[in-house]
Amino acid sequence: MDKSDILQKYCFYAHAPLAARQKFDRAATQVELNPGDFYFHEGDACTHVALVGNGSIRVYKAGESGREITLYHVRAGETCILTASCVLAGMSYPAAAVAESQTDAVIFPAPVFRDWVASMATVRDFVFQTLATRMADLMALVEEITFNKMDKRLAEYLCQRFENEGRPITVLHVTHEQIATELGSAREVVSRLLKEFERLGAIEVARGRIRLRNEATLRQFL
Amino acid sequence: MDKSDILQKYCFYAHAPLAARQKFDRAATQVELNPGDFYFHEGDACTHVALVGNGSIRVYKAGESGREITLYHVRAGETCILTASCVLAGMSYPAAAVAESQTDAVIFPAPVFRDWVASMATVRDFVFQTLATRMADLMALVEEITFNKMDKRLAEYLCQRFENEGRPITVLHVTHEQIATELGSAREVVSRLLKEFERLGAIEVARGRIRLRNEATLRQFL
DNA sequence: AATAGTCTTGTGATTAAGTCACAGACCTCC
DNA sequence: GGAGGTCTGTGACTTAATCACAAGACTATT
């Protein structure tokens, strides 16, 4: 996957006149991340903006106890808007980001990006759109953490994963630990709840694998 | 407090040439909110952007159980960036906002504001600055909720309130209930912790009032 | 195929938080 | 000085997080 393949996924690029597209191409640097590679650490200065073309990046906060919570994922066609907002406000990253899978992306230097936001309405709209969405997502996350019980949150997570963005699947390859870091909980808590779901016949758990048995039962927790 | 007094608190206005200032003045509508007045409800469509000149607005999420959690406060010289981000992205409010005290503000119609963000670098920078800050605040909030215990969070809250933005005070007028909605906890939990702090000699609690007795003791929880 | 070593899951005990159901205490306003 | 509202206190119970291990499952190696 090369630079323009990646950029092609972004409307402000795809619909831009040729001259503008060439400008983007020239400024873009392609990067490739392997699973586990950090895209940035908390507190890093912000020098680039990234557009993801492929794969997935997990943006998260880590507590001193070793627990973590995922804030959101950046997937194909999305910007890590955190980088954008930091670039535009000149602040350092308030969270960390690691690649979850093999990821292709392009990055732009901060000044170039700032310039485009100033001069191109399409880029600006794209940025505002994503910023507002992430902001709303974060608020929803706060709400979720504060008011919902773990069983409900876990069931929600599982349903979403089984749904797989419209292409339903019945088996997840994920460990209890991974789920815990996703939800900001502890592994033991997740294990016990999964066991409970299994007891009710909703799922079937095995090492590193969860199979959906009865979606309706699972949905009763929502 | 009239329109230009309020606008004067914003750098993009204060440093603007006369012609631009007059343009702002013409587009601005002054609004006044009494304590308890809603500025907007969750789900409301977003038609205006507000700049606060005086007083304070609380932006919060409410759970079905009746519990609430404050996301942030908008005080003098700040924008309710949520309105701005919603205006710019064309979405509805993901939270609710209510005046905590007598509040003076000016509002601009969405299209006018969008236009300014497009045409004036100063306004745009201001918006990005605030958006990025709020975003970082929200992430910090998620971290706080997820990893910190209530006693620490409560102590933090109290210290901040006693500090009073540089002008320290020793008495707070606040109910346990209000603190609970601020922290997203339950009143009973706050009451018990306050009692514990009192037992240790850090504070003295009375109906609707908390007096600081020994800051060092309180700070041991941080 | 036995072994060692890591990764993953299970379990019990303890503490922290949230929930529920009341009981008083305090305050304000007739 | 009652009446009614607003605050706070308390006990019992449930849910989560934490801690300390035990045990199972998979991998690589010999």
Side-chain angles (χ1 to χ4, degrees):
Chain A
M1 193 165 213
D2 80 346
K3 289 201 281 190
S4 55
D5 288 338
I6 297 174
L7 286 167
Q8 201 62 44
K9 302 201 170 190
Y10 293 83
C11 56
F12 66 83
Y13 176 89
H15 301 143
L18 183 63
R21 288 212 302 278
Q22 288 175 339
K23 206 170 56 172
F24 286 126
D25 286 338
R26 272 195 305 277
T29 307
Q30 186 165 3
V31 297
E32 221 172 284
L33 295 171
N34 294 313
D37 285 356
F38 274 91
Y39 173 50
F40 54 76
H41 294 85
E42 180 159 355
D44 277 3
C46 195
T47 56
H48 294 271
V49 171
L51 306 186
V52 174
N54 214 313
S56 160
I57 291 178
R58 183 170 79 95
V59 176
Y60 69 95
K61 277 274 194 185
E64 43 235 62
S65 67
R67 260 169 73 207
E68 298 180 359
I69 183 167
T70 299
L71 298 172
Y72 56 85
H73 301 264
V74 186
R75 299 185 213 279
E78 299 180 344
T79 321
C80 181
I81 200 63
L82 191 53
T83 60
S85 107
C86 290
V87 158
L88 294 164
M91 53 194 302
S92 55
Y93 295 117
V98 285
E100 293 180 295
S101 52
Q102 178 69 34
T103 300
D104 298 305
V106 295
I107 58 176
F108 296 112
V112 174
F113 187 73
R114 261 195 289 267
D115 187 49
W116 289 345
V117 168
S119 60
M120 306 178 62
T122 51
V123 175
R124 192 163 54 236
D125 288 348
F126 173 77
V127 169
F128 278 124
Q129 192 69 49
T130 346
L131 262 177
T133 310
R134 288 287 183 226
M135 189 102 148
D137 286 352
L138 278 177
M139 291 184 174
L141 179 60
V142 171
E143 183 179 25
E144 169 115 353
I145 300 171
T146 310
F147 303 124
N148 293 348
K149 296 213 186 130
M150 236 15 240
D151 55 357
K152 181 173 177 183
R153 294 183 55 207
L154 179 58
E156 231 162 49
Y157 168 83
L158 291 173
C159 285
Q160 260 185 30
R161 290 291 309 267
F162 282 127
E163 210 146 274
N164 196 223
E165 292 163 27
R167 267 164 295 285
I169 52 179
T170 59
V171 176
L172 292 183
H173 292 274
V174 66
T175 68
H176 304 180
E177 177 73 45
Q178 286 174 316
I179 299 177
T181 70
E182 192 72 16
L183 301 179
S185 177
R187 198 259 315 155
E188 299 89 319
V189 174
V190 171
S191 287
R192 287 193 251 257
L193 287 172
L194 285 175
K195 178 138 279 216
E196 170 72 5
F197 289 171
E198 184 172 49
R199 201 182 55 75
L200 295 172
I203 56 173
E204 197 183 299
V205 297
R207 184 190 169 94
R209 187 157 40 78
I210 300 176
R211 183 187 305 277
L212 183 59
R213 276 289 172 218
N214 186 336
E215 187 169 348
T217 311
L218 196 54
R219 288 206 175 276
Q220 284 176 359
F221 286 90
L222 303 188
Chain B
M1 195 167 212
D2 79 346
K3 289 201 281 188
S4 55
D5 288 337
I6 298 173
L7 286 167
Q8 202 62 45
K9 302 201 170 188
Y10 293 82
C11 55
F12 66 83
Y13 177 89
H15 302 142
L18 183 63
R21 288 211 303 277
Q22 288 175 338
K23 205 169 57 170
F24 285 126
D25 286 337
R26 272 196 305 276
T29 308
Q30 185 164 3
V31 297
E32 220 173 284
L33 294 171
N34 294 312
D37 285 357
F38 274 92
Y39 174 50
F40 53 77
H41 294 86
E42 179 160 356
D44 276 4
C46 195
T47 57
H48 295 270
V49 172
L51 306 187
V52 174
N54 215 312
S56 160
I57 291 178
R58 183 170 80 95
V59 177
Y60 69 96
K61 276 275 193 184
E64 41 235 63
S65 68
R67 260 168 73 207
E68 298 180 359
I69 184 167
T70 299
L71 298 172
Y72 57 84
H73 301 265
V74 186
R75 300 187 212 278
E78 299 179 344
T79 322
C80 181
I81 200 62
L82 191 53
T83 61
S85 105
C86 290
V87 158
L88 294 165
M91 54 195 302
S92 55
Y93 296 117
V98 53
E100 293 181 296
S101 53
Q102 179 69 32
T103 301
D104 299 306
V106 296
I107 57 176
F108 297 112
V112 173
F113 187 73
R114 262 195 289 266
D115 188 51
W116 290 344
V117 169
S119 61
M120 306 179 62
T122 51
V123 175
R124 190 164 55 237
D125 287 349
F126 173 76
V127 168
F128 279 125
Q129 192 68 50
T130 345
L131 262 177
T133 311
R134 289 289 184 225
M135 190 102 147
D137 286 352
L138 278 178
M139 291 185 173
L141 179 61
V142 170
E143 184 179 24
E144 168 114 352
I145 300 171
T146 310
F147 304 124
N148 293 348
K149 297 213 186 132
M150 245 358 252
D151 55 357
K152 180 174 177 183
R153 294 183 55 207
L154 179 57
E156 230 161 51
Y157 169 83
L158 291 174
C159 285
Q160 261 185 31
R161 289 292 308 268
F162 282 127
E163 210 146 274
N164 196 221
E165 292 163 28
R167 267 164 294 285
I169 52 178
T170 60
V171 177
L172 292 183
H173 291 275
V174 66
T175 68
H176 303 182
E177 178 73 45
Q178 286 173 317
I179 299 178
T181 69
E182 191 72 16
L183 301 179
S185 177
R187 199 257 315 155
E188 298 89 320
V189 175
V190 172
S191 287
R192 288 193 250 257
L193 287 173
L194 285 174
K195 178 138 280 216
E196 170 71 6
F197 289 171
E198 184 172 49
R199 201 182 57 74
L200 296 171
I203 57 172
E204 198 184 298
V205 296
R207 185 190 171 94
R209 187 158 39 80
I210 300 176
R211 182 186 306 275
L212 182 59
R213 274 291 172 218
N214 185 336
E215 188 169 348
T217 311
L218 196 54
R219 287 205 176 277
Q220 284 175 359
F221 286 90
L222 302 189

